[in-house]
Amino acid sequence: MRVVNEFVQEEIRISVFSWNNKYIIKYELGPLEQTFKVSEMDILEETELEAFWKGDFFEKVRIRFEEMGKTFRAQLENL
């Protein structure tokens, strides 16, 4: 597995890996994680991956983290 890029944006850690002819894009926020896999055949240049941490896609990732956090906290309160 090759590390393509790692950085933090709006408190969300973003890691991009290349493995088995796929790009793995991993978003982490606290104990929560979202992972997406994209075929390397669908990406002509690695710079195209930037679309996954900009604009509407990233906004939906951020909103999903909020929803996941609420669900997770509610479950912990019910233990």
Side-chain angles (χ1 to χ4, degrees), residues 6-67:
E6 288 185 306
F7 59 97
V8 175
Q9 179 171 298
E10 295 183 31
E11 299 182 11
I12 297 173
R13 180 172 181 77
I14 302 171
S15 303
V16 182
F17 306 96
S18 177
W19 186 65
N20 263 4
N21 298 317
K22 291 184 182 84
Y23 288 109
I24 300 169
I25 305 165
K26 182 166 77 167
Y27 302 87
E28 298 174 87
L29 182 62
L32 307 173
E33 181 177 297
Q34 298 178 52
T35 304
F36 298 86
K37 296 177 183 176
V38 180
S39 171
E40 288 183 353
M41 301 294 288
D42 292 335
I43 305 295
L44 296 176
E45 296 180 22
E46 287 182 0
T47 56
E48 292 179 355
L49 292 168
E50 293 177 13
F52 288 95
W53 50 85
K54 294 184 178 179
D56 191 49
F57 187 87
F58 183 75
E59 180 63 19
K60 289 180 180 176
V61 166
R62 195 186 58 70
I63 290 168
R64 195 172 299 113
F65 270 130
E66 290 174 8
E67 295 168 355

